[in-house]
Amino acid sequence: MTNIQELSAFATRIAREAGAIAMEGFRNRELGIDLKADFHDMVTKYDRACEEHIRGAILEAYPGSTIVGEEDGASEGSGPLAWHIDPIDGTANFARGMALWAVSIGIARDGEMIVGVVYDPANDHMFMADDRGAFLNDEPMRSWGFTRPEQATVVLNFPLPRDLVHLPELALEQFTEASRQFAQVRALGSSCISLCWVAAGWVDATVSFEANSWDVAASAFIVRQAGGAYRSYLGGEEQPPERDYLNPHYYATVPGGDYPILEQIMLTQSERPLPADHPAAALLTTPNS
Ligand code: IPD
Ligand code: CA
Ligand code: CA
């Protein structure tokens, strides 16, 4: 069986290589931008080049791997390792010149997360977690922060346009209420950076809906290995932790974080249908439905 620390060293190396490819395009005006689902959802030639590099390196070193990547979809392998890859998380920031994006690589063995790597090359932040714990640029990293809303900073990636499809008035009321209750509210435009900043103790909580495994697999594991809390939701209920990187809605906090308004947002807003093409849509289908 492959040693976990060998895998984390490998994932760190390929994240650094992909980061260098992406940096060639950062603040460059020749990005080859295409739209995907709608005008809120873009991709550049650098997203594709980074994913191609990462996939090629994985399949050469670990043939038989399953790879689930944002740009090229899922390719099923026969081995125990599954790699959840977002070549650039925060593409809209990347494309506009904002240094809030990262390469994200999460590795699961037989479904259980064992390695998470998130590399933010513009700031040279290498977040990594494996069986030794969580690290930032090779230094041990422990989450900490403010556990009450009036002192806390929340990265509220909500409501986004897709959140305003379901219960728009409630969503706007909840945003207003959170803005009143928290010391600071931010939206960063990158799920993995938001989660790693909770892990680093730079912000206190974060919330988002309709994420994919490639957005969160690495950084949810980093939050937990740093001592923070990561909870996933589906169908209006908090879900058990097993394989919860497959669940679409999440809420993460520093240790001891207690923010009832965010729990209320999770419970009410996770009770939504998912688009048919969302990988988690099948999880909502019960045998009787
Ligand atoms: C997006 C970012 C954003 C989140 C979206 C993601 P992308 O990823 O993480 O913060 O709200 O759900 O799709 O498209 O930049 O990889
Ligand atoms: Ca993403
Ligand atoms: Ca992406």
Side-chain angles (χ1 to χ4, degrees):
M1 191 186 287
T2 312
N3 179 292
I4 292 181
Q5 291 168 28
E6 179 191 314
L7 283 166
S8 59
F10 172 79
T12 302
R13 177 169 68 73
I14 58 174
R16 233 181 247 291
E17 290 168 2
I21 294 171
M23 282 303 283
E24 290 170 23
F26 187 49
R27 297 180 180 156
N28 168 338
R29 295 183 186 185
E30 303 297 321
L31 293 175
I33 294 174
D34 284 326
L35 297 183
K36 296 203 284 187
D38 58 32
F39 68 88
H40 303 293
D41 186 13
M42 63 173 70
V43 61
T44 74
K45 63 182 178 185
Y46 290 95
D47 299 72
R48 297 195 179 101
C50 289
E51 184 160 327
E52 197 181 320
H53 177 77
I54 295 168
R55 277 179 185 265
I58 293 170
L59 291 176
E60 194 182 323
Y62 300 99
S65 289
T66 290
I67 302 184
V68 184
E70 175 166 21
E71 309 308 337
D72 284 334
S75 62
E76 192 79 24
S78 53
L81 299 179
W83 305 66
H84 297 265
I85 303 164
D86 196 338
I88 298 181
D89 182 64
T91 295
N93 292 339
F94 169 79
R96 200 64 198 87
M98 296 166 66
L100 277 168
W101 53 275
V103 178
S104 180
I105 302 175
I107 312 175
R109 187 164 60 201
D110 297 319
E112 188 195 342
M113 288 306 303
I114 52 172
V115 171
V117 168
V118 170
Y119 183 48
D120 162 0
N123 297 296
D124 195 23
H125 293 154
M126 177 65 78
F127 299 96
M128 191 280 280
D130 63 11
D131 55 351
R132 291 167 292 189
F135 301 85
L136 169 57
N137 293 342
D138 295 328
E139 294 294 325
M141 178 174 73
R142 297 300 293 167
S143 181
W144 75 281
F146 298 98
T147 55
R148 290 170 33 186
E150 64 269 26
Q151 295 172 305
T153 295
V154 57
V155 176
L156 197 55
N157 293 314
F158 165 86
L160 300 178
R162 60 179 181 249
D163 300 314
L164 295 170
V165 170
H166 303 286
L167 298 166
E169 280 160 29
L170 179 63
L172 292 171
E173 277 166 30
Q174 289 170 327
F175 179 80
T176 305
E177 188 53 30
S179 301
R180 288 201 179 104
Q181 289 190 19
F182 277 88
Q184 307 296 334
V185 174
R186 299 287 184 270
L188 298 185
S190 164
S191 294
C192 74
I193 296 257
S194 306
L195 287 162
C196 285
W197 285 16
V198 170
W202 298 344
V203 296
D204 302 293
T206 187
V207 156
S208 195
F209 295 89
E210 298 186 34
N212 288 282
S213 69
W214 53 77
D215 297 309
V216 299
S219 45
F221 183 64
I222 292 170
V223 168
R224 285 192 173 130
Q225 291 298 84
Y230 179 89
R231 298 182 221 169
S232 74
Y233 291 76
L234 184 67
E237 289 175 8
E238 188 178 341
Q239 300 297 304
E242 291 75 32
R243 298 186 190 228
D244 60 358
Y245 52 88
L246 299 175
N247 295 329
H249 318 304
Y250 66 83
Y251 166 36
T253 73
V254 297
D258 179 18
Y259 321 106
I261 176 71
L262 298 185
E263 280 176 41
Q264 187 203 87
I265 291 173
M266 294 315 300
L267 290 172
T268 52
Q269 297 290 342
S270 67
E271 203 178 340
R272 65 175 69 183
L274 288 168
D277 61 350
H278 192 289
L283 301 176
L284 271 179
T285 313
T286 64
N288 299 324
S289 66

